[in-house]
Amino acid sequence: MSHKILLTSREVNIILHRLACQLLENHLDFKDTILIGLQPRGRFVAERIKQILEQQYGVHDIKLGFLDITFFRDDFRRSEKPLEANKTQIDFLVEGKKVVFIDDVLYTGRSIRAALTAIQSFGRPSQIELLVLIDRRFSRHLPIQPDYRGRQVDAINDEKVKVTWKENDGEDSVYLI
C-alpha cells in the first residue's frame, strides 16, 4: 500500500494555528461559543485547537465537549462487525450557544448529519459551524460544507485520507493511501 504524505507535522501545526486564529476572529472571547470534537478522531483536533487558543492567545474558560455519533449514523445497522461507541462528554447545555463541530476529515457529510441530530439532546444551539482539518470536497453525499477548513484534498473514491496524531499514533501527519 503506497502512502503519499499530504501534510507533515510542521504543516499540521501551522494549519491548526491558522484555524485557531480564524475561530478567534469570529468568536473573540468564546463566551457564547462551545467547541465539540466529534468522536473519535475529531477529539484530537478539538483538544489541539483549545490548547492553542489558551496558550497562544490567552483565551480562557473555553467549553470543550466530545460527541459520539455512532448510533445516530444512517448506516450503523449495515455493518457486519459490531460497532464500538465512544463516550460523549458534554457536561453543559448548548441551548442558545454557538457550537463549532470539529472533525479531522470531512468526506461524505454523513457524520456531520448525524452530529446535527445528536447535538439536539443537549439543547438547541443558536448557530452551528463546522471546522475540519481535511476537506475531501468532491466526495459529498449530502450538501454539507465546512466553515473552516485546513486543507482541501481531491482524492479518488478508493483513496483514503489518514490523519495521524502524536497522542495516538506517535506523529502528526496526513497521508493519502
Side-chain angles (χ1 to χ4, degrees):
M1 176 173 0
S2 70
H3 289 67
K4 176 184 176 192
I5 189 148
L6 295 176
L7 296 173
T8 64
S9 177
R10 182 171 185 266
E11 292 167 322
V12 168
N13 191 42
I14 290 167
I15 287 171
L16 289 174
H17 277 79
R18 177 174 47 81
L19 291 169
C21 286
Q22 289 174 344
L23 282 174
L24 194 54
E25 280 181 28
N26 291 332
H27 297 276
L28 299 175
D29 61 3
F30 288 78
K31 179 175 55 110
D32 294 318
T33 301
I34 297 169
L35 304 181
I36 301 288
L38 301 184
Q39 293 278 34
R41 307 210 40 101
R43 172 183 202 109
F44 300 111
V45 185
E47 288 173 335
R48 291 282 190 87
I49 294 283
K50 182 180 185 228
Q51 181 182 36
I52 291 167
L53 288 167
E54 289 174 340
Q55 294 176 1
Q56 301 291 316
Y57 301 102
V59 181
H60 300 292
D61 301 321
I62 298 172
K63 286 186 171 51
L64 173 63
F66 306 106
L67 182 63
D68 180 66
I69 57 162
T70 303
F71 300 111
F72 293 91
R73 293 184 55 92
D74 59 4
D75 60 353
F76 88 91
R77 290 193 173 134
R78 296 178 180 207
S79 179
E80 298 285 323
K81 61 182 179 171
L83 294 174
E84 289 184 36
N86 292 282
K87 188 174 183 183
T88 290
Q89 295 173 292
I90 300 176
D91 58 355
F92 42 80
L93 291 176
V94 301
E95 187 72 32
K97 301 291 185 184
K98 296 175 186 173
V99 171
V100 181
F101 285 149
I102 301 177
D103 208 358
D104 60 347
V105 179
L106 174 57
Y107 183 34
T108 63
R110 292 183 183 279
S111 293
I112 305 309
R113 191 220 43 88
L116 289 167
T117 302
I119 198 68
Q120 293 174 11
S121 301
F122 299 92
R124 183 179 183 205
S126 65
Q127 177 181 350
I128 298 177
E129 295 179 327
L130 175 60
L131 179 149
V132 296
L133 180 66
I134 302 293
D135 175 12
R136 289 189 60 169
R137 65 180 171 161
F138 295 130
S139 327
R140 268 340 153 262
H141 295 175
L142 301 169
I144 292 173
Q145 301 302 321
D147 298 285
Y148 310 93
R149 76 173 48 88
R151 175 144 177 216
Q152 284 185 328
V153 173
D154 299 333
I156 300 169
N157 280 336
D158 62 343
E159 293 178 317
K160 293 192 180 345
V161 174
K162 180 175 172 136
V163 179
T164 63
W165 297 102
K166 67 180 164 197
E167 297 90 339
N168 196 50
D169 308 300
E171 70 169 344
D172 293 338
S173 59
V174 179
Y175 294 98
L176 185 63
I177 301 174

